[in-house]
Amino acid sequence: MTRYRMTVHPTPIGPVRIVLADDRLLALGVLDRPDDPRGWEALVRQLGVVPDDDAAAAASVTAELDAYFAGDLREFTVPVDLSLVRGFTRTALEAVRRIPYGETAAYGEVAAMAGSPRASRAVGTACATTPISLIVPVHRVIRADGSIGPYGGHPEVKRFLLELEDVPGV
């Protein structure tokens, strides 16, 4: 039986909720405040369990996040579990994971990488609904005109992440 664990960890862009399924990262999202319940209800309904607070279990994830924000990590190695997403959304997020640190790709480019060159809007939906942000670097996906676009209603966070990665032109 899968054991679900969770914790909230502080970062320069705000607290992040981390959910593990055994030793795999199942969800990671920036919260507006540490006790922000958004998204928890759906996750609890889908999994059928309430994750228990377990910061020790998330130590490898939090260590990599801290190293990333310190500028010492360019590629995450924690095991990622994308089982919460299916179909093209999953394919698109797997393509996003291939965008290198310090680089960006337009929604249409990601769609082509995912095998559906005309599905740029679907890529936008995948990025907006990903259960795992930061480690699945949806912040690296930009508009075709080169503008950065939204990021969960917080474009300043997207700009911060792209500047952290020293992306040219940001």
Side-chain angles (χ1 to χ4, degrees):
M1 184 161 104
T2 301
R3 179 168 179 212
Y4 298 97
R5 295 168 289 178
M6 72 74 106
T7 193
V8 175
H9 184 70
T11 74
I13 60 172
V16 295
R17 170 197 66 218
I18 299 166
V19 179
L20 300 168
D22 294 327
D23 63 343
R24 299 171 325 277
L25 180 63
L26 187 65
L28 187 148
V30 181
L31 303 173
D32 288 335
R33 60 183 198 278
D35 61 344
D36 186 346
R38 289 178 308 145
W40 281 116
E41 293 85 1
L43 189 61
V44 167
R45 271 193 312 275
Q46 185 172 359
L47 300 176
V49 298
V50 177
D52 59 335
D53 190 0
D54 194 342
S60 62
V61 177
T62 59
E64 287 198 7
L65 285 171
D66 291 346
Y68 169 78
F69 283 111
D72 298 329
L73 182 77
R74 292 176 170 249
E75 186 173 334
F76 291 97
T77 62
V78 295
V80 170
D81 181 340
L82 288 174
S83 65
L84 294 178
V85 292
R86 305 259 188 269
F88 182 75
T89 297
R90 185 175 184 151
T91 303
L93 294 176
E94 289 168 349
V96 168
R97 291 187 73 199
R98 295 192 305 267
I99 302 170
Y101 180 97
E103 296 182 24
T104 59
Y107 291 98
E109 292 173 305
V110 174
M113 290 167 54
S116 297
R118 297 177 57 140
S120 59
R121 286 182 183 250
V123 169
T125 299
C127 290
T129 61
T130 182
I132 303 173
S133 61
L134 297 171
I135 291 175
V136 174
V138 296
H139 60 277
R140 296 179 189 155
V141 183
I142 61 170
R143 293 178 172 159
D145 66 4
S147 63
I148 66 169
Y151 186 71
H154 299 282
E156 71 281 0
V157 172
K158 187 172 189 174
R159 180 168 305 285
F160 174 87
L161 295 170
L162 294 174
E163 287 174 352
L164 175 72
E165 294 185 12
D166 203 21
V167 171
V170 175

